[in-house]
Amino acid sequence: MGNWLRSVLVFFSMNFVCATHAEDITALVTGATSAYFTPAEKERFTEASDRFKKYEIPKSIEINAVNWLDNEHLVFSSRKYPGWEAKRDEMSRVITYNIKTGAITDSGYRGIAMCLNHIGDLLLAQSDRESRPEVRLAEYQWFAGKWGEALEPIHYPKYSSIANHLCRLLPEGDPIFAVPPEKQPPGFAHVMPLLPEHGALETTVIRNKQGQTQDQLKLIKPNGERLLISNRGLNDFYFIYLPWKDAYLETEVTPDIPRLFFPSGEVSSPIVPALFKAWYMAIDGRATGYVTRVGMLWGVQQHDYFWRKQGIYLQTQKGLLRIESGRHEGPIKISPDGCMVQARVTRDNSFKPAMRAAIRLVINVCKETEQ
């Protein structure tokens, strides 16, 4: 046995549950370098591409931003759809699209709908140069307000990001990782505001008794009380609120593990399927974790040679299902009720120069099709 394989198996034996047999681990790791699914890999999931109802969004709709309005309607910023096409210096139209009927309605808004949350907060960016790739976020005019109402202009703070659950711009905050803990002034922290009734999450850096730097993540309750909930700081790259679960998801890409934060201060993480751990260790395959009403959803992205193992996988109580074979691009967006999964995917080998064009799908993971 080679040193590489031996070290990988040691890692697996330390991190996998006891019920996983050593011979199964060996088969997963060694077989991971195959361009095709091995028998050991096939035992770990079920092909279920036709099990759930899918809606394909017509390619005739040119889309540059996607949000959920409710459980049946998507909101697109579009530069082209049947009956209309934007001129070069014309802004996109913000339209609604009924996933079941295909009906398109012009909302009257113009520009890029950067964010729309579960309570109708809308963040809109406008520029008559939006069709040109050199437009920077700071060059847009920004507007905020409630969906269906007039929007108010807002200032774009330099070095800010979008808080998806609030649909507002947040300044970068204190550079807590650039200043040694002993030199940080009182109150130095990175703060992520939650919904007003939930408070905020605060990340700070300290030196522990061993002299090592360590993150501290605290929940600041609406009454000001601070509750230490983790020794790992918050990754706010794609941080979203799940209204159907009343929890916040910190989306992560394996080997990092997603976390759910509850208003009570409880923190939970899913068990990453052994198959995805093997793919990461052996071929640097990555899986991005999301949460649906029926289980964890994993968007698996593989490198060129291993494209056949890509796809969208649903982790349920009955096992791991591959519900879509395409490689997803960008974040997967889940409807407010946790059932509808919207993704942009490319099937077959997306690395070929003459690759098949990407398609946009909505998958209802809460309702299986009649067999």
Side-chain angles (χ1 to χ4, degrees):
M1 182 184 299
N3 291 334
W4 169 82
L5 179 57
R6 185 178 292 107
S7 64
V8 170
L9 292 180
V10 169
F11 174 89
F12 271 63
S13 64
M14 294 173 61
N15 290 278
F16 276 41
V17 294
C18 296
T20 304
H21 300 295
E23 59 270 22
D24 294 335
I25 294 172
T26 303
L28 281 176
V29 176
T30 56
T33 56
S34 168
Y36 297 86
F37 286 116
T38 65
E41 289 174 331
K42 288 182 178 180
E43 290 178 358
R44 296 284 177 163
F45 73 95
T46 301
E47 285 285 5
S49 290
D50 298 325
R51 183 172 298 189
F52 300 95
K53 175 65 177 177
K54 292 183 180 181
Y55 305 87
E56 184 172 340
I57 299 167
K59 294 185 177 69
S60 57
I61 305 175
E62 185 179 307
I63 301 167
N64 53 18
V66 179
N67 294 280
W68 282 101
L69 177 62
D70 54 41
N71 300 317
E72 291 189 4
H73 294 86
L74 286 163
V75 169
F76 300 144
S77 282
S78 176
R79 299 198 59 75
K80 180 181 179 182
Y81 59 86
W84 178 79
E85 182 173 359
K87 299 179 175 62
R88 176 174 172 80
D89 294 329
E90 189 176 3
M91 288 185 286
S92 294
R93 289 184 179 181
V94 179
I95 61 174
T96 63
Y97 177 81
N98 187 308
I99 60 173
K100 294 183 178 180
T101 67
I104 296 173
T105 303
D106 181 0
S107 71
Y109 294 118
R110 299 294 180 263
I112 309 297
M114 294 292 191
C115 182
L116 178 64
N117 68 7
H118 65 292
I119 53 176
D121 294 319
L122 175 63
L123 186 63
L124 189 74
Q126 291 186 344
S127 171
D128 57 9
R129 299 169 56 243
E130 70 172 45
S131 62
R132 306 174 194 180
E134 68 271 14
V135 181
R136 296 173 295 180
L137 291 179
E139 296 174 325
Y140 283 97
Q141 291 181 298
W142 291 81
F143 298 84
K146 288 289 185 180
W147 177 265
E149 300 177 6
L151 305 180
E152 297 292 332
I154 60 172
H155 171 67
Y156 177 84
K158 191 176 182 180
Y159 306 123
S160 64
S161 60
I162 297 173
N164 293 289
H165 56 294
L166 298 172
C167 283
R168 60 183 256 204
L169 296 166
L170 289 180
E172 189 175 89
D174 297 327
I176 59 174
F177 298 108
V179 179
E182 62 274 10
K183 294 184 179 180
Q184 295 182 6
F188 219 56
H190 177 76
V191 178
M192 170 60 77
L194 304 177
L195 295 173
E197 63 270 28
H198 297 155
L201 292 175
E202 177 190 72
T203 302
T204 57
V205 180
I206 65 168
R207 286 201 185 277
N208 59 24
K209 295 180 180 180
Q210 290 73 39
Q212 300 170 325
T213 58
Q214 181 179 338
D215 291 353
Q216 285 196 339
L217 182 61
K218 296 178 181 178
L219 172 65
I220 307 176
K221 296 185 176 181
N223 63 6
E225 178 187 357
R226 279 175 163 78
L227 177 66
L228 179 64
I229 59 175
S230 178
N231 288 322
R232 192 178 107 202
L234 179 69
N235 178 3
D236 57 6
F237 176 72
Y238 192 62
F239 184 77
I240 58 175
Y241 175 69
L242 311 177
W244 58 273
K245 200 174 183 65
D246 194 26
Y248 298 85
L249 173 66
E250 174 195 52
T251 307
E252 289 283 11
V253 181
T254 54
D256 296 319
I257 301 175
R259 291 185 292 181
L260 275 172
F261 298 93
F262 295 86
S264 64
E266 178 188 354
V267 182
S268 67
S269 293
I271 297 175
V272 179
L275 184 63
F276 301 159
K277 289 187 177 182
W279 285 344
Y280 169 72
M281 293 297 297
I283 57 177
D284 198 31
R286 306 288 177 134
T288 306
Y290 301 88
V291 178
T292 73
R293 186 176 286 273
V294 296
M296 284 296 299
L297 191 81
W298 301 92
V300 176
Q301 295 180 318
Q302 301 283 12
H303 295 291
D304 188 355
Y305 182 69
F306 309 104
W307 64 268
R308 294 174 181 84
K309 299 178 181 182
Q310 66 193 4
I312 299 175
Y313 293 73
L314 183 63
Q315 186 179 3
T316 71
Q317 294 181 343
K318 297 180 180 180
L320 187 64
L321 309 175
R322 186 163 81 151
I323 63 174
E324 170 57 44
S325 62
R327 174 189 172 96
H328 78 93
E329 302 172 18
I332 294 174
K333 297 197 172 182
I334 314 296
S335 62
D337 65 355
C339 287
M340 298 293 189
V341 174
Q342 186 280 327
R344 185 172 187 261
V345 300
T346 302
R347 292 171 175 162
D348 298 326
N349 187 354
S350 61
F351 296 91
K352 286 184 178 180
M355 66 180 184
R356 183 180 298 179
I359 59 174
R360 287 190 183 270
L361 294 173
V362 174
I363 309 172
N364 185 350
V365 297
C366 294
K367 185 177 182 180
E368 296 189 19
T369 57
E370 297 182 2
Q371 302 297 320

